[in-house]
Amino acid sequence: APAARQQFLDYARRAFPDQLKPRTLILISRNSPFYTQKFEPELRERDDQAIRDTIAGYEQLGYAALDTGTGYTIEDFGDRTHLTSTGGAKLAAVTAPKIQDLANQLGYLK
């Protein structure tokens, strides 16, 4: 909804000082497949679209943002949102390349 999107953008705009935004990586996580596998296809697509819209919104405001992915199993979650050690390892593997890209862009690895 347009009002909810505007509220999100207003919050995200103020969440960090402007000078920190280029050095901030926002990780967009997903829910455990224990729950999402029960979604109807339309709800799955809406969930995926919300992830894409959230990333686009953060990037529009100058942040780096990353969908941490869908390659997780039920065993990678301790509950609806919190990862187990196996899920954490997968998160690290997905996140590390983006962190390295950011570090290169910012000149930290010269």
Side-chain angles (χ1 to χ4, degrees), residues 11-68:
Y11 167 77
R13 185 175 289 109
R14 296 186 316 268
F16 287 87
D18 288 341
Q19 64 270 25
L20 293 181
K21 289 176 185 172
R23 295 182 278 161
T24 302
L25 174 60
I26 306 288
L27 301 179
I28 309 301
S29 62
R30 293 178 178 255
N31 292 307
S32 169
F34 176 84
Y35 300 99
T36 58
Q37 69 188 5
K38 298 175 185 182
F39 288 175
E40 297 294 325
E42 299 82 22
L43 183 53
R44 253 190 228 119
E45 177 51 36
R46 189 181 80 184
D47 196 47
D48 289 341
Q49 186 62 52
I51 298 287
R52 291 189 296 271
D53 290 348
T54 299
I55 289 171
Y58 278 120
E59 289 177 341
Q60 171 188 334
L61 295 171
Y63 297 96
L66 177 66
D67 176 356
T68 59

Side-chain angles (χ1 to χ4, degrees), residues 57-110:
Y58 278 120
E59 289 177 341
Q60 171 188 334
L61 295 171
Y63 297 96
L66 177 66
D67 176 356
T68 59
T70 57
Y72 295 90
T73 66
I74 292 170
E75 293 75 25
D76 293 327
F77 284 82
D79 58 23
R80 184 180 62 85
T81 59
H82 296 96
L83 297 172
T84 62
S85 59
T86 60
K90 289 179 181 179
L91 175 65
V94 167
T95 306
K98 183 71 172 185
I99 293 170
Q100 186 162 8
D101 288 346
L102 269 176
N104 281 326
Q105 290 173 20
L106 295 167
Y108 294 162
L109 302 179
K110 289 183 180 179

